[in-house]
Amino acid sequence: MESCSPICRHYVLFRKLGQFATSTRRRRIGRVLHRPLLFQFQKWHHVSHSVANKTLRSYIENYTDRHFSDMSKSVQLANPHLETMSSDFLYHLNFNVENSKEPTEIKKKFADVKVICCGGTISRMRELALYLRKVLDDPETGEPVDLCSGGHRYAMFKVGPVLSVSHGVGSSTFSVVLHELLKLVKYAGCQDPVFLRIGTCGGVGVPPGTVVVTKNAFNGYLRNEHEIAILGKRVVRPAQFPESVIKDVLAYGSSADDGFQTISGNTMGTDCFYEGQGRLDGAICEYTEADKMEFLKKCFDLGIVNIEMEASMFASVTQKLGVKAGDVCVTIVNRLNGDQVEITMEQKHEYEQRPFLVVGRYIKKLLQKC
């Protein structure tokens, strides 16, 4: 028992230090723990090394899984390796942070950013930028400037303290730009930013034109989590959006005079538009209509009211970092009635304006409170 006491003492000391650790301190502590602290107890050295490794990994996991109640004003990333980098090229955004320790230029351009709106297409996010000019009384009148045009992948427009950024279709393309946007706001020193996703989706038991503010995000396995392969291993993370954002979007964004419903419910984010969402109209389908309806009923029973392709990843990444986020989408089909989008192009365009209206009101109120 006496030979174990040094390990226990170092473990307790580490836990106490961890409560006050910054990312820099965390890295320093990690180096200390990985030194052979217990050389005086040679026969226990392999034990202490193992305990130190497990303790460090456990601490990093606990530190980076930040609860919404612990959200800080500035973004805290969960990557200690960034601290060792003197520069960082945000390749897909086409921004080169030449000095990541003193990112003066990035701060000049983006330090005032409070809200980052993301959506699928470039045209939609350009249209949102033009709409937000009116909402926020922005004096700009010319064509919105795409700040990422040199990257030829995503588009970014800035309207005062709001960014409007395209993310493509699905979690894979969205995750790329989301990682870089999170690093961007970190380098810029943005205070308490809110990330919002707007888009279209399929409804489950709700009529086309309904705006859905996501509560919990489910994956294609109907689990309230996001699954990702990291270093050949399956990693699962929770996927919830903060209640404070949901309440505020509903309170400030919706109105009884809108002529459409804005509701809160669970969302399923799938990796595939056709088979993953149980559609019958894809190039491959190896299930029956009865199988599809049984699947959609399970969704409905879980409180899932809409299906898209980004929510679970978006919720899990932002929740992991304790960043405020919300997902606001409009339904363009009720999947219980069919798979094909049957509304007219005019109706589709009008429906796509509805999240603009809801998010615009929310942003205006949010900026008034800042």
Side-chain angles (χ1 to χ4, degrees):
M1 295 297 294
E2 292 180 359
S3 57
C4 291
S5 60
I7 301 173
C8 296
R9 286 200 299 272
H10 283 294
Y11 177 81
V12 172
L13 176 61
F14 176 80
R15 295 293 294 183
K16 288 181 178 179
L17 287 173
Q19 295 174 8
F20 306 96
T22 62
S23 58
T24 303
R25 290 172 182 162
R26 210 165 56 240
R27 192 171 66 256
R28 187 181 302 125
I29 292 168
R31 287 199 296 267
V32 171
L33 279 175
H34 280 81
R35 294 168 186 161
L37 293 171
L38 306 179
F39 268 136
Q40 54 184 313
F41 303 97
Q42 290 294 330
K43 67 177 182 177
W44 294 98
H45 175 253
H46 67 286
V47 176
S48 68
H49 188 72
S50 174
V51 169
N53 274 306
K54 290 179 180 178
T55 303
L56 180 64
R57 286 197 300 269
S58 175
Y59 172 69
I60 290 177
E61 288 179 5
N62 292 334
Y63 181 84
T64 55
D65 276 324
R66 302 172 62 217
H67 298 293
F68 293 125
S69 60
D70 298 329
M71 288 178 177
S72 63
K73 291 293 183 180
S74 60
V75 174
Q76 301 297 318
L77 303 180
N79 182 0
H81 302 290
L82 293 175
E83 298 290 340
T84 67
M85 296 169 55
S86 60
S87 63
D88 192 354
F89 183 28
L90 308 182
Y91 177 72
H92 303 87
L93 291 178
N94 197 41
F95 291 141
N96 186 18
V97 185
E98 295 181 354
N99 184 350
S100 58
K101 305 302 180 185
E102 294 293 336
T104 306
E105 290 302 315
I106 293 296
K107 288 183 177 180
K108 285 181 181 178
K109 292 180 179 179
F110 300 107
D112 65 331
V113 170
K114 297 293 184 183
V115 182
I116 302 91
C117 295
C118 300
T121 67
I122 294 175
S123 61
R124 179 182 299 160
M125 301 320 289
R126 174 188 169 278
E127 194 172 353
L128 176 63
L130 291 170
Y131 176 78
L132 289 175
R133 283 182 179 178
K134 300 175 184 177
V135 173
L136 303 180
D137 297 321
D138 189 270
E140 292 289 338
T141 57
E143 176 66 19
V145 177
D146 179 3
L147 302 178
C148 297
S149 60
H152 305 291
R153 285 177 171 82
Y154 301 95
M156 175 190 291
F157 308 98
K158 190 172 187 295
V159 181
V162 182
L163 294 181
S164 182
V165 187
S166 66
H167 65 58
V169 177
S171 292
S172 59
T173 59
F174 188 15
S175 68
V176 175
V177 72
L178 181 59
H179 273 261
E180 295 187 9
L181 285 170
L182 286 162
K183 291 199 292 179
L184 180 68
V185 297
K186 170 64 175 177
Y187 292 135
C190 300
Q191 297 297 299
D192 205 20
V194 179
F195 281 72
L196 299 172
R197 193 189 94 76
I198 64 170
T200 57
C201 61
V204 181
V206 297
T210 303
V211 174
V212 178
V213 183
T214 302
K215 293 171 59 179
N216 298 316
F218 286 70
N219 63 15
Y221 296 103
L222 300 185
R223 296 171 184 159
N224 182 203
E225 61 192 25
H226 177 63
E227 178 181 305
I228 183 173
I230 301 176
L231 301 181
K233 298 178 181 178
R234 177 175 176 266
V235 176
V236 175
R237 294 170 180 157
Q240 293 95 30
F241 289 102
E243 187 65 29
S244 61
V245 175
I246 298 168
K247 287 182 177 179
D248 285 350
V249 171
L250 291 173
Y252 306 136
S254 62
S255 170
D257 300 326
D258 284 338
F260 59 87
Q261 274 194 311
T262 299
I263 65 173
S264 177
N266 296 333
T267 298
M268 180 170 69
T270 66
D271 294 326
C272 173
F273 181 79
Y274 287 99
E275 292 179 282
Q277 297 185 9
R279 293 177 180 273
L280 303 177
D281 55 350
I284 301 173
C285 183
E286 299 179 317
Y287 43 84
T288 66
E289 184 171 5
D291 295 332
K292 164 198 160 180
M293 296 307 296
E294 181 182 358
F295 171 71
L296 293 177
K297 185 179 183 303
K298 288 180 181 178
C299 292
F300 188 78
D301 290 343
L302 289 169
I304 295 172
V305 295
N306 66 324
I307 305 174
E308 38 97 290
M309 298 180 66
E310 295 86 9
S312 59
M313 183 283 299
F314 183 36
S316 72
V317 171
T318 50
Q319 184 177 0
K320 177 76 174 177
L321 299 178
V323 172
K324 293 178 182 177
D327 198 313
V328 183
C329 291
V330 63
T331 61
I332 56 175
V333 62
N334 182 355
R335 290 293 312 287
L336 297 183
N337 296 336
D339 299 333
Q340 290 280 305
V341 177
E342 296 180 345
I343 57 176
T344 65
M345 292 305 295
E346 289 75 18
Q347 285 178 308
K348 179 176 179 292
H349 184 264
E350 191 272 318
Y351 288 175
E352 288 176 344
Q353 303 303 303
R354 294 180 178 183
F356 287 13
L357 181 64
V358 173
V359 167
R361 289 173 181 155
Y362 165 74
I363 291 175
K364 186 173 184 177
K365 185 67 175 181
L366 182 68
L367 295 179
Q368 288 173 351
K369 292 168 63 178
C370 290

